[in-house]
Amino acid sequence: MRHGDKINNLGRTAAHRRALLANMAASLIEHKRITTTLAKAKALRRYIEPLITKAKNNTTHSRRVVFSYLQNKEAIKELFGPIAEKIGDRPGGYVRVIKMGFRRGDGAETAMIELVDFNEVYNPNAGKEKKAKRTRRGGSKKQEGEETAETAAVAATTEEAVAEVEEQVEDVVEEVAEDVAETPAAEAEPEAPAAEEEDKKEDA
């Protein structure tokens, strides 16, 4: 019985299987697309995707961990260079397996395994700008756009109103200054002593 045995041994010993997968992974990294049997392609997918995830974090420790699996310096340079840059925003699913039919010699089912981001023909998102993932708390993009337009309109109206008020204030200040300049410095007030003398005469 093979209960719980989820690893496809590929008819090889553990050491042979590790060497096979390491060589296939290095070939996939170098050529971006290889053709093999379906069973090997599925095993390679499980083998290489964690290594590509490791390559997103370009540190000495990550490089040493990946090198312990691949044992190929050129593959490490390619993986941590162009590949890591291109798949940096993808949260998994770096490779795809496409069935290719049966082989003529032994009838084995073949498949092509390739890096998703390096297929410009079959990549529906090629050439599109990648946008950051948004949560529901932030509101929809449409609402944000409308709010931004409304805010800009209100700001423009406010600026116009402030400019008009400033012009009116300047006009009033100029008018007051002109009135002050036209009026005499000191106006003659009626003489108080003369009025007091008249009052005394009346009392007498």
Side-chain angles (χ1 to χ4, degrees), residues 5 11 23-24 37 58 96 112 116 138 141-142 192-193:
D5 184 12
N23 289 334
M24 291 176 65
T37 62
N58 190 2
R96 85 166 50 93
M112 180 181 69
V116 172
K141 296 178 182 177
K142 185 177 180 182

Side-chain angles (χ1 to χ4, degrees), residues 76-194:
I76 296 297
K77 288 180 184 177
E78 185 72 16
L79 181 60
F80 281 84
I83 293 177
E85 291 177 4
K86 201 148 192 177
I87 56 94
D89 296 332
R90 184 177 291 278
Y94 311 110
V95 299
R96 85 166 50 93
V97 176
I98 301 173
K99 294 181 180 180
M100 302 287 289
F102 296 91
R103 213 157 46 189
R104 286 190 62 186
D106 58 357
E109 192 172 3
T110 60
M112 180 181 69
I113 181 170
E114 65 178 3
L115 294 172
V116 172
D117 291 295
F118 285 86
N119 187 343
E120 303 296 338
V121 176
Y122 190 63
N123 188 0
N125 296 323
K128 294 183 180 178
E129 294 183 0
K130 294 182 180 179
K131 298 179 181 178
K133 185 177 179 182
R134 299 186 57 81
T135 59
R136 294 179 63 188
R137 289 177 180 269
S140 65
K141 296 178 182 177
K142 185 177 180 182
Q143 291 177 351
E144 283 187 359
E146 292 176 354
E147 289 177 0
T148 305
E150 291 176 0
T151 306
V154 170
T157 307
T158 306
E159 290 177 359
E160 292 177 359
V162 170
E164 290 178 0
V165 171
E166 289 178 352
E167 290 178 359
Q168 293 175 359
V169 169
E170 289 177 359
D171 294 341
V172 171
V173 170
E174 290 177 359
E175 291 177 359
V176 171
E178 291 176 358
D179 293 342
V180 170
E182 290 175 357
T183 55
E187 293 182 352
E189 295 182 357
E191 294 181 358

Side-chain angles (χ1 to χ4, degrees), residues 2 5-22 24 36-47 109:
R2 53 177 300 278
D5 184 12
K6 296 181 180 180
I7 296 174
N8 188 346
N9 295 317
L10 302 174
R12 291 164 172 80
T13 61
H16 190 179
R17 188 167 56 253
R18 281 196 297 269
L20 170 73
L21 293 173
M24 291 176 65
T36 182
T37 62
L38 181 62
K40 289 178 185 176
K42 289 181 177 179
L44 178 60
R45 178 172 57 190
R46 293 186 61 183
Y47 180 85
E109 192 172 3

